[in-house]
Amino acid sequence: MVTLTGDSLTAAEVVRVARGCEAVDLGGGVAERVRAGRAVVERALEDGGAVYGLTTGVGVRQRTSVEPAGRADFSTKLILEHRVGQGDPAPADVARAQLLVLANGLARGAAGVRLELVERLVTALNEEPPPVVRSLGSIGMADLPANADLAHSVLGDFALAAKEGLALLDHNAYSTALAALALTDARRLLDTLDVAAGLDLEALAANLTLLHPAIGRHRPFPGLQAAVRRLTLLLEGSYLWAEGAARNLQDPLSFRCVPHVHGAALDGLGFAHSQLAIELNASQENPLVLVEEGAIISVGNFDVLPLAAALDFARIALAPVLTSASERAVKLLQSPLTGLPEGLAAEAGLAESGLSEFGVPAQALAGEARLLTQPVSAETGSTIHHEGVEDRITLAPLSARRLAEQVALGERLAAIELIVAAQAIDLRGRPQLGSGTGAAYARVRERIPATGRGEPPPQDVEPVRELVRSGLLAEPA
């Protein structure tokens, strides 16, 4: 059971609810907090002053008053007016995550909605199919089209009160949900790529001075230190620790710099996760209800640049890991670097190409992953929309979606890398592998056998890609 308090939701809990359909309830104190926020709204209605989206229209129509008798109807119409989303429906896990993030945000009490509305969202999470949300159309300054789809999908015949329509629209739950799932998948991929890189080192017969603990002492980046420790643990018991096991004094940089490249990505993803942790429990509404002051203020809390920029950074940090993985896979196919048959064919001197052709998709996947690193949070918005008032965009959904696409490419690249490394291990006579890399090798071989003489390379890497996506290889050694 995941308990929503408005200030304690984690990315792991988002994944459990979105993908595992874990049940949700409201924590103690939420009811009182939400009722207190609603009381501020009710007093503002009684006072009759101008409050954006409550007694006035929205956008350029903020100069237009909403009559008291029409305020509840205005909330419903507001949702219908913003149902302009485009594209295919978002995946079910994204829609459920969006609904969860929204419910948690409203549980803070700063949106001024009734407790009944928050409870309606929780019921939808626990008892109903995932909402239908179209995937395109948000600029990341409140995910208005996606939020309108979400609200329309889950409300049914639930009658809204004044301000509740705006509260359901003016937030970035869609962007935040996408980010939570993509960053979780990115970290799982990075952990898996640690394992694949360790197997690469054994496949090359690399020099393990690259894991000397002094590296982290003299360059004390947390990610670098963590990568050295993890790779050392994965390779515990490996033949490479024996004197004379290394083929070279210094290996190619894509092998020698594994802890540095992976460590930098670990730090980059760690930063993005820290930004996400704040956003998951933030009030993204406008206007904002301040219970302690008894006031409702106009703000720009839907500007999620901290998250959008962090997602851009995460893609930039992950791309070199994928490029290096591609480089190692290609180098393992080259006889002068490995001392093994060209293309890792079953025997030397054959006309067969072995696994040589896997170098092509490995480079293609890495190339596409690099092209996804273009930052999007620096895009400039048009000052035409709504008389130039709405002149900022973050494109946070695009930033998160591109990270998810990059991870998907990385999963396939990791599958190729593992298959190539396993073939090289076989050709070396299956020497003693590390505790973690040996387990990974066995799992790969359970799904795809070695390529023997006269056999084509594996025609389908999907079994290994599914292994990568399962997270089994990302588990601690």
Side-chain angles (χ1 to χ4, degrees):
M1 178 76 74
V2 171
T3 298
L4 300 183
T5 64
D7 57 13
S8 61
L9 184 63
T10 67
E13 289 175 329
V14 173
V15 172
R16 280 157 45 194
V17 173
R19 294 174 174 165
C21 296
E22 189 164 330
V24 175
D25 66 0
L26 296 175
V30 169
E32 293 77 9
R33 191 182 312 128
V34 172
R35 289 190 179 113
R38 185 63 194 178
V40 175
V41 171
E42 296 294 344
R43 287 195 295 272
L45 289 170
E46 292 175 2
D47 293 343
V51 180
Y52 181 82
L54 181 61
T55 63
T56 76
V58 298
V60 295
R61 296 166 187 82
Q62 62 181 299
R63 296 182 289 270
T64 304
S65 298
V66 179
E67 296 301 320
R71 286 169 184 167
D73 188 47
F74 174 71
S75 282
T76 300
K77 288 181 178 178
L78 203 59
I79 290 170
L80 296 175
E81 289 169 354
H82 285 82
R83 288 199 67 219
V84 293
Q86 303 296 310
D88 296 329
D93 59 346
V94 172
R96 283 181 56 79
Q98 179 189 0
L99 183 53
L100 176 69
V101 173
L102 172 58
N104 188 63
L106 296 184
R108 292 181 62 86
V113 302
R114 294 167 299 156
L115 179 62
E116 292 86 347
L117 177 56
V118 184
E119 292 172 336
R120 172 74 192 103
L121 301 184
V122 172
T123 298
L125 271 170
N126 289 335
E127 299 178 4
E128 298 176 11
V132 178
V133 177
R134 286 169 288 185
S135 56
L136 302 178
S138 171
I139 59 174
M141 301 292 289
D143 299 314
L144 297 172
N147 295 339
D149 277 349
L150 180 76
H152 184 264
S153 184
V154 302
L155 286 179
D157 58 0
F158 185 89
L160 294 176
K163 193 185 181 302
E164 290 183 333
L166 186 57
L168 289 168
L169 291 174
D170 224 358
H171 57 84
N172 290 87
Y174 182 66
S175 298
T176 309
L178 279 170
L181 298 176
L183 283 170
T184 297
D185 292 344
R187 178 55 194 271
R188 182 190 64 231
L189 175 63
L190 181 58
D191 288 345
T192 301
L193 289 166
D194 284 345
V195 179
L199 203 60
D200 289 342
L201 297 176
E202 291 175 314
L204 185 72
N207 191 328
L208 289 193
T209 56
L210 67 94
L211 298 180
H212 197 291
I215 294 169
R217 291 199 302 270
H218 288 276
R219 272 187 101 221
F221 288 101
L224 174 58
Q225 293 173 331
V228 168
R229 289 193 300 269
R230 176 161 165 78
L231 286 162
T232 300
L233 185 61
L234 288 165
L235 290 165
E236 183 179 2
S238 172
Y239 81 100
L240 289 182
W241 297 108
E243 187 175 352
R247 297 186 70 251
N248 301 305
L249 179 61
Q250 286 199 156
D251 296 309
L253 294 179
S254 57
F255 290 85
R256 198 184 342 148
C257 296
V258 166
H260 305 79
V261 175
H262 288 215
L266 187 61
D267 285 339
L269 290 179
F271 171 71
H273 272 282
S274 70
Q275 300 296 84
L276 171 68
I278 294 172
E279 208 64 72
L280 281 173
N281 296 286
S283 292
Q284 300 173 327
E285 293 85 11
N286 173 54
L288 195 62
V289 176
L290 304 180
V291 173
E292 63 277 12
E293 299 179 24
I296 304 176
I297 60 172
S298 294
V299 296
N301 273 12
F302 45 74
D303 191 321
V304 289
L305 180 59
L307 181 60
L311 292 166
D312 283 347
F313 181 33
R315 297 196 311 280
I316 292 171
L318 187 58
V321 179
L322 301 179
T323 296
S324 293
S326 170
E327 285 296 310
R328 289 192 301 273
V330 170
K331 285 178 170 58
L332 287 175
L333 296 169
Q334 298 173 5
S335 183
L337 294 173
T338 64
L340 299 172
E342 183 65 26
L344 301 179
E347 299 173 19
L350 298 177
E352 300 170 6
S353 60
L355 303 188
S356 287
E357 293 308 311
F358 271 132
V360 176
Q363 292 175 308
L365 292 165
E368 287 198 38
R370 285 193 299 274
L371 289 173
L372 290 170
T373 60
Q374 173 65 37
V376 300
S377 59
E379 278 291 325
T380 302
S382 166
T383 58
I384 297 173
H385 192 58
H386 282 186
E387 296 181 357
V389 173
E390 298 180 5
D391 58 356
R392 278 275 304 133
I393 64 175
T394 70
L395 292 182
L398 176 60
S399 195
R401 191 168 70 247
R402 284 189 173 179
L403 178 59
E405 292 170 1
Q406 190 183 52
V407 169
L409 292 167
E411 290 169 351
R412 297 188 180 281
L413 177 56
I416 291 174
E417 182 184 12
L418 287 162
I419 291 168
V420 169
Q423 181 80 358
I425 294 293
D426 290 333
L427 293 175
R428 290 203 186 280
R430 299 186 193 177
Q432 179 64 44
L433 303 181
S435 58
T437 52
Y441 167 85
R443 282 176 167 149
V444 170
R445 281 290 171 253
E446 287 171 359
R447 289 159 177 81
I448 289 192
T451 299
R453 179 169 182 165
E455 296 176 344
Q459 303 294 287
D460 183 10
V461 304
E462 195 65 18
V464 180
R465 189 205 68 86
E466 291 174 354
L467 174 64
V468 170
R469 186 159 181 78
S470 73
L472 288 173
L473 298 181
E475 295 172 354

